[in-house]
CSV table of all heavy atoms in Angstrom, one decimal:
chain,number,residue,atom,x,y,z
A,1,MET,N,104.6,102.4,91.5
A,1,MET,CA,103.5,101.4,91.7
A,1,MET,C,102.7,101.3,90.4
A,1,MET,O,102.3,102.2,89.7
A,1,MET,CB,102.6,101.9,92.8
A,1,MET,CG,101.5,100.9,93.1
A,1,MET,SD,100.4,101.5,94.3
A,1,MET,CE,99.1,100.3,94.2
A,2,THR,N,102.5,100.0,90.0
A,2,THR,CA,101.7,99.8,88.8
A,2,THR,C,100.4,99.1,89.2
A,2,THR,O,100.3,98.4,90.1
A,2,THR,CB,102.5,98.8,87.8
A,2,THR,OG1,102.8,97.6,88.5
A,2,THR,CG2,103.8,99.5,87.3
A,3,GLY,N,99.4,99.4,88.4
A,3,GLY,CA,98.1,98.7,88.6
A,3,GLY,C,97.2,99.4,89.6
A,3,GLY,O,97.6,100.5,90.1
A,4,PHE,N,96.2,98.8,89.9
A,4,PHE,CA,95.2,99.4,90.8
A,4,PHE,C,94.8,98.4,91.8
A,4,PHE,O,95.1,97.2,91.8
A,4,PHE,CB,93.9,99.8,90.0
A,4,PHE,CG,94.2,100.7,88.8
A,4,PHE,CD1,94.3,100.3,87.5
A,4,PHE,CD2,94.5,102.1,89.0
A,4,PHE,CE1,94.6,101.1,86.5
A,4,PHE,CE2,94.8,102.9,88.0
A,4,PHE,CZ,94.8,102.4,86.7
A,5,MET,N,94.0,98.9,92.8
A,5,MET,CA,93.4,98.0,93.8
A,5,MET,C,92.0,97.7,93.4
A,5,MET,O,91.3,98.6,93.1
A,5,MET,CB,93.5,98.6,95.2
A,5,MET,CG,94.9,98.4,95.8
A,5,MET,SD,94.9,99.3,97.4
A,5,MET,CE,94.2,98.0,98.5
A,6,TRP,N,91.6,96.5,93.6
A,6,TRP,CA,90.2,96.1,93.3
A,6,TRP,C,89.7,95.4,94.5
A,6,TRP,O,90.3,94.5,95.0
A,6,TRP,CB,90.2,95.2,92.0
A,6,TRP,CG,90.9,95.7,90.9
A,6,TRP,CD1,92.2,95.6,90.5
A,6,TRP,CD2,90.3,96.6,89.9
A,6,TRP,NE1,92.5,96.3,89.4
A,6,TRP,CE2,91.3,96.9,89.0
A,6,TRP,CE3,89.0,97.1,89.6
A,6,TRP,CZ2,91.1,97.7,87.8
A,6,TRP,CZ3,88.8,97.9,88.5
A,6,TRP,CH2,89.8,98.2,87.6
A,7,GLN,N,88.5,95.7,94.8
A,7,GLN,CA,87.8,95.1,96.0
A,7,GLN,C,86.6,94.4,95.6
A,7,GLN,O,85.7,94.9,94.9
A,7,GLN,CB,87.5,96.1,97.1
A,7,GLN,CG,87.0,95.4,98.3
A,7,GLN,CD,86.9,96.4,99.5
A,7,GLN,OE1,86.6,97.5,99.4
A,7,GLN,NE2,87.2,95.8,100.7
A,8,CYS,N,86.5,93.1,96.0
A,8,CYS,CA,85.3,92.3,95.7
A,8,CYS,C,84.2,92.7,96.7
A,8,CYS,O,84.4,93.3,97.8
A,8,CYS,CB,85.6,90.8,95.8
A,8,CYS,SG,84.2,89.7,95.6
A,9,GLU,N,83.0,92.3,96.4
A,9,GLU,CA,81.8,92.5,97.3
A,9,GLU,C,82.1,91.8,98.7
A,9,GLU,O,81.6,92.3,99.7
A,9,GLU,CB,80.6,91.9,96.7
A,9,GLU,CG,80.1,92.7,95.5
A,9,GLU,CD,79.0,91.9,94.7
A,9,GLU,OE1,78.6,90.9,95.2
A,9,GLU,OE2,78.7,92.4,93.6
A,10,CYS,N,82.9,90.7,98.7
A,10,CYS,CA,83.1,90.0,99.9
A,10,CYS,C,84.2,90.6,100.7
A,10,CYS,O,84.5,90.2,101.8
A,10,CYS,CB,83.4,88.5,99.6
A,10,CYS,SG,85.0,88.3,98.9
A,11,GLY,N,84.9,91.6,100.1
A,11,GLY,CA,86.0,92.3,100.9
A,11,GLY,C,87.4,91.9,100.4
A,11,GLY,O,88.3,92.5,100.9
A,12,GLN,N,87.5,90.9,99.6
A,12,GLN,CA,88.8,90.4,99.1
A,12,GLN,C,89.4,91.5,98.2
A,12,GLN,O,88.7,92.2,97.4
A,12,GLN,CB,88.5,89.2,98.2
A,12,GLN,CG,89.8,88.7,97.5
A,12,GLN,CD,90.7,87.9,98.4
A,12,GLN,OE1,90.5,87.8,99.6
A,12,GLN,NE2,91.8,87.5,97.8
A,13,ILE,N,90.7,91.8,98.4
A,13,ILE,CA,91.4,92.8,97.6
A,13,ILE,C,92.4,92.2,96.8
A,13,ILE,O,93.2,91.4,97.2
A,13,ILE,CB,92.0,93.9,98.6
A,13,ILE,CG1,90.8,94.7,99.2
A,13,ILE,CG2,92.9,94.8,97.8
A,13,ILE,CD1,91.3,95.7,100.3
A,14,GLU,N,92.5,92.6,95.5
A,14,GLU,CA,93.5,92.1,94.6
A,14,GLU,C,94.1,93.3,93.9
A,14,GLU,O,93.6,94.4,93.8
A,14,GLU,CB,92.8,91.3,93.5
A,14,GLU,CG,92.1,90.1,94.0
A,14,GLU,CD,93.0,88.9,94.3
A,14,GLU,OE1,94.2,89.0,94.1
A,14,GLU,OE2,92.4,87.9,94.9
A,15,TYR,N,95.4,93.2,93.5
A,15,TYR,CA,96.1,94.2,92.8
A,15,TYR,C,96.3,93.8,91.3
A,15,TYR,O,96.4,92.7,91.0
A,15,TYR,CB,97.5,94.4,93.4
A,15,TYR,CG,97.5,94.8,94.8
A,15,TYR,CD1,97.4,93.9,95.8
A,15,TYR,CD2,97.5,96.2,95.1
A,15,TYR,CE1,97.4,94.3,97.1
A,15,TYR,CE2,97.5,96.6,96.4
A,15,TYR,CZ,97.5,95.6,97.4
A,15,TYR,OH,97.5,96.0,98.7
A,16,GLY,N,96.2,94.8,90.4
A,16,GLY,CA,96.5,94.5,89.0
A,16,GLY,C,96.0,95.7,88.1
A,16,GLY,O,95.4,96.6,88.6
A,17,GLU,N,96.3,95.6,86.9
A,17,GLU,CA,95.9,96.6,85.9
A,17,GLU,C,94.5,96.5,85.6
A,17,GLU,O,93.8,97.5,85.3
A,17,GLU,CB,96.8,96.4,84.6
A,17,GLU,CG,98.2,96.4,84.8
A,17,GLU,CD,98.9,97.6,84.2
A,17,GLU,OE1,98.4,98.1,83.1
A,17,GLU,OE2,100.0,98.0,84.7
A,18,ILE,N,94.0,95.3,85.6
A,18,ILE,CA,92.5,95.0,85.3
A,18,ILE,C,92.0,94.2,86.5
A,18,ILE,O,92.7,93.5,87.1
A,18,ILE,CB,92.3,94.3,84.0
A,18,ILE,CG1,93.1,93.0,83.9
A,18,ILE,CG2,92.7,95.2,82.8
A,18,ILE,CD1,92.7,92.1,82.8
A,19,PRO,N,90.7,94.3,86.7
A,19,PRO,CA,90.1,93.5,87.8
A,19,PRO,C,90.1,92.0,87.5
A,19,PRO,O,89.9,91.7,86.3
A,19,PRO,CB,88.7,94.1,87.9
A,19,PRO,CG,88.4,94.7,86.6
A,19,PRO,CD,89.7,95.2,86.0
A,20,PRO,N,90.3,91.2,88.5
A,20,PRO,CA,90.3,89.8,88.3
A,20,PRO,C,88.9,89.4,87.8
A,20,PRO,O,87.9,90.0,88.2
A,20,PRO,CB,90.5,89.2,89.7
A,20,PRO,CG,91.1,90.3,90.5
A,20,PRO,CD,90.5,91.6,89.9
A,21,GLU,N,88.8,88.4,86.9
A,21,GLU,CA,87.5,88.0,86.4
A,21,GLU,C,86.7,87.3,87.5
A,21,GLU,O,85.5,87.5,87.7
A,21,GLU,CB,87.7,87.0,85.3
A,21,GLU,CG,86.9,87.3,84.1
A,21,GLU,CD,87.2,86.4,82.9
A,21,GLU,OE1,86.8,85.3,82.9
A,21,GLU,OE2,87.9,86.9,82.0
A,22,GLU,N,87.4,86.4,88.3
A,22,GLU,CA,86.8,85.7,89.3
A,22,GLU,C,87.5,85.9,90.6
A,22,GLU,O,88.7,86.0,90.7
A,22,GLU,CB,86.8,84.2,89.0
A,22,GLU,CG,86.0,83.3,90.0
A,22,GLU,CD,86.2,81.8,89.6
A,22,GLU,OE1,86.4,81.5,88.5
A,22,GLU,OE2,86.0,81.0,90.5
A,23,CYS,N,86.7,86.1,91.7
A,23,CYS,CA,87.2,86.3,93.0
A,23,CYS,C,87.8,85.0,93.5
A,23,CYS,O,87.1,83.9,93.4
A,23,CYS,CB,86.1,86.8,94.0
A,23,CYS,SG,86.7,87.0,95.7
A,24,SER,N,89.0,85.0,94.1
A,24,SER,CA,89.7,83.8,94.5
A,24,SER,C,89.1,83.3,95.9
A,24,SER,O,89.3,82.3,96.4
A,24,SER,CB,91.2,84.0,94.7
A,24,SER,OG,91.4,85.0,95.6
A,25,LYS,N,88.3,84.2,96.5
A,25,LYS,CA,87.7,83.9,97.8
A,25,LYS,C,86.3,83.4,97.7
A,25,LYS,O,86.0,82.3,98.2
A,25,LYS,CB,87.8,85.2,98.7
A,25,LYS,CG,87.6,84.9,100.2
A,25,LYS,CD,87.8,86.2,100.9
A,25,LYS,CE,87.4,86.0,102.4
A,25,LYS,NZ,87.4,87.3,103.1
A,26,CYS,N,85.4,84.2,97.1
A,26,CYS,CA,84.0,83.8,97.0
A,26,CYS,C,83.6,83.3,95.6
A,26,CYS,O,82.5,82.9,95.5
A,26,CYS,CB,83.1,85.0,97.4
A,26,CYS,SG,83.1,86.3,96.3
A,27,HIS,N,84.5,83.4,94.7
A,27,HIS,CA,84.3,82.9,93.3
A,27,HIS,C,83.2,83.5,92.6
A,27,HIS,O,82.6,82.9,91.6
A,27,HIS,CB,84.1,81.3,93.4
A,27,HIS,CG,85.2,80.6,94.0
A,27,HIS,ND1,86.5,80.5,93.4
A,27,HIS,CD2,85.4,80.0,95.2
A,27,HIS,CE1,87.3,79.8,94.2
A,27,HIS,NE2,86.6,79.6,95.4
A,28,LYS,N,82.9,84.8,92.9
A,28,LYS,CA,81.9,85.5,92.1
A,28,LYS,C,82.6,86.1,90.9
A,28,LYS,O,83.8,86.3,90.9
A,28,LYS,CB,81.4,86.7,93.0
A,28,LYS,CG,80.1,86.4,93.7
A,28,LYS,CD,79.5,87.7,94.1
A,28,LYS,CE,78.2,87.5,94.9
A,28,LYS,NZ,77.5,88.7,95.3
A,29,ILE,N,81.8,86.2,89.8
A,29,ILE,CA,82.4,86.7,88.6
A,29,ILE,C,82.1,88.2,88.5
A,29,ILE,O,80.9,88.7,88.8
A,29,ILE,CB,81.7,86.0,87.4
A,29,ILE,CG1,81.9,84.5,87.5
A,29,ILE,CG2,82.3,86.5,86.0
A,29,ILE,CD1,83.3,84.0,87.4
A,30,ASN,N,83.1,89.0,88.0
A,30,ASN,CA,82.9,90.4,87.8
A,30,ASN,C,82.3,91.1,89.0
A,30,ASN,O,81.5,92.0,88.9
A,30,ASN,CB,82.0,90.7,86.6
A,30,ASN,CG,82.7,90.2,85.3
A,30,ASN,OD1,83.9,90.2,85.2
A,30,ASN,ND2,81.9,89.9,84.3
A,31,SER,N,82.9,90.8,90.2
A,31,SER,CA,82.3,91.4,91.4
A,31,SER,C,83.3,92.5,92.0
A,31,SER,O,83.0,93.1,93.0
A,31,SER,CB,82.1,90.3,92.5
A,31,SER,OG,83.4,89.7,92.7
A,32,PHE,N,84.4,92.7,91.2
A,32,PHE,CA,85.4,93.7,91.7
A,32,PHE,C,85.1,95.1,91.3
A,32,PHE,O,84.7,95.4,90.2
A,32,PHE,CB,86.8,93.3,91.2
A,32,PHE,CG,87.4,92.1,92.0
A,32,PHE,CD1,87.1,90.8,91.6
A,32,PHE,CD2,88.2,92.4,93.1
A,32,PHE,CE1,87.6,89.8,92.3
A,32,PHE,CE2,88.7,91.3,93.8
A,32,PHE,CZ,88.4,90.0,93.4
A,33,THR,N,85.3,96.1,92.2
A,33,THR,CA,85.2,97.5,91.9
A,33,THR,C,86.5,98.1,92.3
A,33,THR,O,87.2,97.7,93.2
A,33,THR,CB,84.1,98.2,92.7
A,33,THR,OG1,84.3,97.9,94.1
A,33,THR,CG2,82.7,97.7,92.3
A,34,LYS,N,86.9,99.1,91.5
A,34,LYS,CA,88.1,99.8,91.7
A,34,LYS,C,88.1,100.7,92.9
A,34,LYS,O,87.1,101.4,93.1
A,34,LYS,CB,88.4,100.7,90.4
A,34,LYS,CG,89.8,101.2,90.4
A,34,LYS,CD,90.0,102.0,89.1
A,34,LYS,CE,91.2,102.8,89.1
A,34,LYS,NZ,91.2,103.7,87.8
A,35,LEU,N,89.1,100.6,93.7
A,35,LEU,CA,89.2,101.4,94.9
A,35,LEU,C,89.8,102.8,94.6
A,35,LEU,O,90.8,102.8,93.8
A,35,LEU,CB,90.1,100.8,96.0
A,35,LEU,CG,89.4,99.5,96.7
A,35,LEU,CD1,90.4,99.0,97.7
A,35,LEU,CD2,88.1,99.9,97.3
A,36,PRO,N,89.3,103.9,95.1
A,36,PRO,CA,89.9,105.2,94.9
A,36,PRO,C,91.3,105.3,95.3
A,36,PRO,O,91.7,104.7,96.3
A,36,PRO,CB,89.0,106.1,95.7
A,36,PRO,CG,87.8,105.4,96.1
A,36,PRO,CD,88.2,103.9,96.1
A,37,GLU,N,92.2,106.1,94.6
A,37,GLU,CA,93.6,106.2,94.9
A,37,GLU,C,93.8,106.7,96.3
A,37,GLU,O,94.9,106.5,96.9
A,37,GLU,CB,94.3,107.0,93.8
A,37,GLU,CG,94.4,106.3,92.5
A,37,GLU,CD,95.2,107.1,91.5
A,37,GLU,OE1,95.9,108.0,91.9
A,37,GLU,OE2,95.0,106.7,90.3
A,38,GLU,N,92.9,107.6,96.8
A,38,GLU,CA,93.1,108.1,98.1
A,38,GLU,C,93.2,107.0,99.2
A,38,GLU,O,94.0,107.0,100.1
A,38,GLU,CB,91.9,109.0,98.5
A,38,GLU,CG,91.7,110.2,97.6
A,38,GLU,CD,90.3,110.7,97.7
A,38,GLU,OE1,89.6,110.4,98.7
A,38,GLU,OE2,89.9,111.5,96.9
A,39,ILE,N,92.4,106.0,99.0
A,39,ILE,CA,92.4,104.9,99.9
A,39,ILE,C,93.7,104.1,99.8
A,39,ILE,O,94.3,103.7,100.8
A,39,ILE,CB,91.2,103.9,99.6
A,39,ILE,CG1,89.9,104.6,100.0
A,39,ILE,CG2,91.3,102.6,100.4
A,39,ILE,CD1,88.6,103.9,99.7
A,40,ILE,N,94.2,103.9,98.6
A,40,ILE,CA,95.4,103.2,98.4
A,40,ILE,C,96.6,104.0,99.1
A,40,ILE,O,97.4,103.4,99.8
A,40,ILE,CB,95.8,103.1,96.8
A,40,ILE,CG1,94.7,102.3,96.1
A,40,ILE,CG2,97.1,102.5,96.6
A,40,ILE,CD1,94.8,102.3,94.6
A,41,GLY,N,96.6,105.3,99.0
A,41,GLY,CA,97.6,106.1,99.6
A,41,GLY,C,97.6,105.9,101.1
A,41,GLY,O,98.7,105.7,101.8
A,42,GLU,N,96.4,105.9,101.7
A,42,GLU,CA,96.3,105.7,103.1
A,42,GLU,C,96.8,104.3,103.6
A,42,GLU,O,97.5,104.1,104.5
A,42,GLU,CB,94.9,105.8,103.6
A,42,GLU,CG,94.5,107.3,103.7
A,42,GLU,CD,93.0,107.4,104.0
A,42,GLU,OE1,92.4,106.5,104.6
A,42,GLU,OE2,92.4,108.4,103.6
A,43,ARG,N,96.5,103.3,102.8
A,43,ARG,CA,96.9,102.0,103.1
A,43,ARG,C,98.5,101.8,103.0
A,43,ARG,O,99.1,101.2,103.8
A,43,ARG,CB,96.3,100.9,102.2
A,43,ARG,CG,94.8,100.7,102.6
A,43,ARG,CD,94.2,99.7,101.6
A,43,ARG,NE,92.7,99.5,102.0
A,43,ARG,CZ,92.3,98.5,102.6
A,43,ARG,NH1,93.0,97.5,103.0
A,43,ARG,NH2,91.0,98.4,102.9
A,44,GLU,N,99.0,102.5,102.0
A,44,GLU,CA,100.5,102.4,101.8
A,44,GLU,C,101.2,103.0,103.0
A,44,GLU,O,102.2,102.5,103.4
A,44,GLU,CB,100.9,103.1,100.5
A,44,GLU,CG,100.7,102.2,99.3
A,44,GLU,CD,101.2,102.9,98.0
A,44,GLU,OE1,101.4,104.2,98.0
A,44,GLU,OE2,101.3,102.2,97.0
A,45,LYS,N,100.6,104.1,103.5
A,45,LYS,CA,101.2,104.7,104.7
A,45,LYS,C,101.3,103.7,105.9
A,45,LYS,O,102.2,103.6,106.6
A,45,LYS,CB,100.4,106.0,105.1
A,45,LYS,CG,100.8,107.2,104.5
A,45,LYS,CD,100.0,108.4,105.0
A,45,LYS,CE,99.7,109.4,103.9
A,45,LYS,NZ,98.6,110.3,104.3
A,46,GLU,N,100.2,103.0,106.0
A,46,GLU,CA,100.1,102.1,107.1
A,46,GLU,C,101.1,101.0,106.9
A,46,GLU,O,101.7,100.5,107.9
A,46,GLU,CB,98.7,101.4,107.2
A,46,GLU,CG,97.7,102.4,107.8
A,46,GLU,CD,96.2,101.8,107.7
A,46,GLU,OE1,96.1,100.6,107.6
A,46,GLU,OE2,95.3,102.6,107.7
A,47,ILE,N,101.3,100.5,105.7
A,47,ILE,CA,102.2,99.4,105.4
A,47,ILE,C,103.7,99.8,105.7
A,47,ILE,O,104.4,99.1,106.2
A,47,ILE,CB,102.0,98.9,104.0
A,47,ILE,CG1,100.7,98.2,103.8
A,47,ILE,CG2,103.2,98.0,103.6
A,47,ILE,CD1,100.2,98.0,102.4
A,48,THR,N,104.0,101.1,105.3
A,48,THR,CA,105.4,101.5,105.4
A,48,THR,C,105.8,102.1,106.7
A,48,THR,O,106.9,102.5,106.9
A,48,THR,CB,105.7,102.6,104.3
A,48,THR,OG1,104.8,103.6,104.4
A,48,THR,CG2,105.6,102.0,102.9
A,49,LYS,N,104.9,102.1,107.6
A,49,LYS,CA,105.2,102.6,109.0
A,49,LYS,C,106.3,101.8,109.7
A,49,LYS,O,106.3,100.6,109.6
A,49,LYS,CB,103.9,102.5,109.8
A,49,LYS,CG,103.4,103.9,110.2
A,49,LYS,CD,102.1,103.8,111.0
A,49,LYS,CE,101.2,105.0,110.8
A,49,LYS,NZ,99.9,104.8,111.4
B,101,ZN,ZN1,84.8,87.8,96.6
């Protein structure tokens, strides 16, 4: 897996090496924070079930 998960204040989640400049949902600038890898692991488990 490459990149990280980024979550906007509005709840929008994007994947990538760097956070998106603008949220595609609420159009805020620099509103993304990096999600901890623990959370990513849990989500991957759910997806691959
Ligand atoms: Zn947003």
